[in-house]
Amino acid sequence: MKRTHRIREDLSDVPDWMLKKKCPNKDRYLSGRRILPKSITGKEKLTDLLQNAFLAYNSARLREGCELFTQKMLEPDVTVGLSLAGALTPAGLGCSCVVPLIKAGFVDWIVSTGANLYHDLHFAFNFPVHVGSHLLDDTDLRKNDIVRIYDVLLGYSDCLMATDEILRGILVQPEFQKEMGTAELHYLLGRYAAEWERKAGLKDVSVLAAAYRAGVPCYTSSPGDSTIGMNVAGVELRGNKLRVNPSIDVNETTSYVLAAKRSGGRSAVMLMGGGSPKNFILQTEPQIQEVLRIKEVGHDYFFQVTDARPDTGGLSGATPHEAVSWGKVDPTRLPDAVVCYTDTTIALPIITHYALANHKPRKLRRLYDQRATMMEALVREYFAHNK
């Protein structure tokens, strides 16, 4: 009785205008579930933890991104593009996350920094990469033939230089003596990576090898901006005939998105980090609309993990709302656009686990094998709109 009396006294202090205030949308705004999570016991599965404890701020965005990826982006008619920026493969995320996603059919095409694909080769060639510390004397590391990527350590001679030596031996083989896009370049490298894996008795350690086996085309938006590109340039000085043509990449990636839409399906992008790979994977829609003058409306699903702020004007932090103004994202699909501000090395293992735990594998789309057919369809539609 005393408690009820106290509540009534509290209400009596509320102004009449507030009690009589009309709130036509209040129920809609407060329609989300109540925040009252159960106490964590230590026995929860990751899925349960995400759904019950990741309720606000960037934990909620990560949960929403996991749900978007698993419940909508992995539908059978959705073509999924993955971009990779930042030093992810040296940190082991190629082995732990990207390879399982490829094998499960959860990734159909990839745009990566060249550095990620170069460092991926250390794993294929069985050269060790070590856990270290960011609190080391870099001058002493240099004296001791060690390279540091924040807290990841690798040998200069017995890892970097050894990888380069094998890579150069591959790049001068007959199948590389022509002009090609980076998908073909990485597919051919992936074939060698897969063989190196096999000879070393390794299993599923290389992104390039896994992509080769699954027919997942891998692109890099800046072919010269990595040690792969540096070695391509190096062997060119000796007369090697390999030429990388970025226009092939622009048109092939665009053809995947157009084919997804023209087949009655949808296109999704999962962006791990920002940078050039993010722009390259998103620019497929402006290429269709702005350059090829083909009617289209943008990607259907957008999920990004980034640590970049949007207010600096950089592409890495640009929001999906901003992307709408460029035609990169379908404006009617913005509810299906999630940005989580956190470290990719935290988010990607969680995303991978959640997806594998909550969605069965998809049939491999093998876009690499369909490049010629999809390019023919792109060219036909281009000329139909540009007579």
Side-chain angles (χ1 to χ4, degrees):
M1 292 296 295
K2 289 182 179 179
R3 178 177 173 84
T4 303
H5 179 67
R6 179 56 187 272
I7 292 174
R8 287 174 179 168
E9 284 182 352
D10 291 343
L11 288 175
S12 67
D13 294 332
V14 178
D16 290 341
W17 68 267
M18 191 172 290
L19 292 173
K20 297 177 181 179
K21 184 180 179 181
K22 293 182 178 180
C23 304
N25 297 316
K26 185 175 182 179
D27 289 343
R28 177 166 62 86
Y29 286 123
L30 297 180
S31 62
R33 62 173 162 143
R34 183 179 177 183
I35 295 179
L36 192 64
K38 296 178 182 179
S39 298
I40 293 173
T41 66
K43 299 178 181 179
E44 295 83 3
K45 292 183 178 180
L46 181 60
T47 294
D48 296 331
L49 189 66
L50 253 73
Q51 292 175 343
N52 296 321
F54 285 45
L55 301 177
Y57 317 129
N58 278 303
S59 74
R61 302 296 82 74
L62 182 54
R63 172 179 52 78
E64 291 167 357
C66 288
E67 292 170 347
L68 173 65
F69 181 51
T70 304
Q71 296 172 13
K72 295 185 177 182
M73 293 169 67
L74 294 183
E75 285 292 297
D77 68 337
V78 181
T79 299
V80 179
L82 171 68
S83 74
L84 302 170
L88 303 183
T89 57
L93 271 74
C95 307
S96 65
C97 301
V98 181
V99 170
L101 290 173
I102 289 172
K103 290 182 64 180
F106 291 174
V107 172
D108 298 313
W109 59 290
I110 293 173
V111 179
S112 172
T113 58
N116 270 316
L117 301 180
Y118 168 72
H119 289 300
D120 175 70
L121 291 173
H122 307 326
F123 296 87
F125 299 159
N126 202 22
F127 296 139
V129 178
H130 295 273
V131 172
S133 170
H134 63 289
L135 302 173
L136 297 174
D137 181 341
D138 288 286
T139 301
D140 195 53
L141 290 179
R142 181 66 175 175
K143 290 178 181 177
N144 285 278
D145 207 36
I146 295 172
V147 174
R148 178 172 73 91
I149 306 173
Y150 192 62
D151 58 356
V152 173
L153 303 179
L154 52 157
Y156 182 75
S157 298
D158 55 7
C159 185
L160 289 183
M161 296 286 283
T163 298
D164 291 0
E165 189 69 24
I166 295 172
L167 177 58
R168 284 193 294 272
I170 294 171
L171 292 174
V172 298
Q173 296 305 308
E175 63 266 39
F176 290 90
Q177 305 309 305
K178 63 176 183 176
E179 179 180 276
M180 63 181 69
T182 61
E184 186 172 4
L185 171 64
H186 295 138
Y187 180 82
L188 294 174
L189 288 177
R191 187 168 67 195
Y192 282 90
E195 180 61 17
W196 274 86
E197 269 190 346
R198 187 192 66 79
K199 289 191 298 184
L202 301 171
K203 182 176 174 59
D204 297 332
V205 299
S206 166
V207 171
L208 285 173
Y212 162 75
R213 287 188 289 263
V216 172
C218 294
Y219 296 87
T220 183
S221 46
S222 302
D225 187 20
S226 76
T227 311
I228 293 178
M230 292 158 60
N231 278 293
V232 169
V235 294
E236 184 176 326
L237 295 176
R238 299 167 55 186
N240 208 56
K241 301 302 181 182
L242 171 60
R243 299 292 182 275
V244 178
N245 184 346
S247 294
I248 294 174
D249 294 356
V250 172
N251 288 323
E252 283 184 358
T253 55
T254 300
S255 75
Y256 302 152
V257 177
L258 187 65
K261 297 302 189 75
R262 292 300 181 261
S263 66
R266 291 160 290 173
S267 175
V269 291
M270 185 162 75
L271 313 166
M272 295 297 106
S276 183
K278 175 186 175 182
N279 184 72
F280 200 80
I281 207 166
L282 286 173
Q283 76 174 17
T284 47
E285 279 287 0
Q287 175 73 358
I288 293 171
Q289 302 166 42
E290 178 185 343
V291 176
L292 303 185
R293 304 296 179 90
I294 298 172
K295 187 175 180 181
E296 239 295 295
V297 291
H299 291 286
D300 299 285
Y301 300 122
F302 179 112
F303 176 27
Q304 182 182 13
V305 174
T306 183
D307 58 4
R309 292 162 38 193
D311 57 303
T312 61
L315 187 280
S316 293
T319 64
H321 293 76
E322 182 179 329
V324 165
S325 70
W326 291 87
K328 295 176 178 178
V329 175
D330 184 343
T332 67
R333 295 286 190 167
L334 279 178
D336 292 323
V338 176
V339 180
C340 177
Y341 293 95
T342 191
D343 186 333
T344 303
T345 62
I346 297 170
L348 188 53
I350 294 175
I351 295 164
T352 303
H353 182 283
Y354 188 94
L356 292 171
N358 292 281
H359 200 288
K360 65 180 181 180
R362 301 197 309 172
K363 181 180 178 181
L364 296 177
R365 203 174 298 274
R366 302 198 65 91
L367 291 182
Y368 185 85
D369 303 337
Q370 302 177 57
R371 292 176 307 138
T373 301
M374 291 182 173
M375 274 301 301
E376 290 173 2
L378 176 74
V379 171
R380 281 197 305 270
E381 189 157 354
Y382 168 66
F383 281 107
H385 286 81
N386 294 274
K387 296 180 179 179

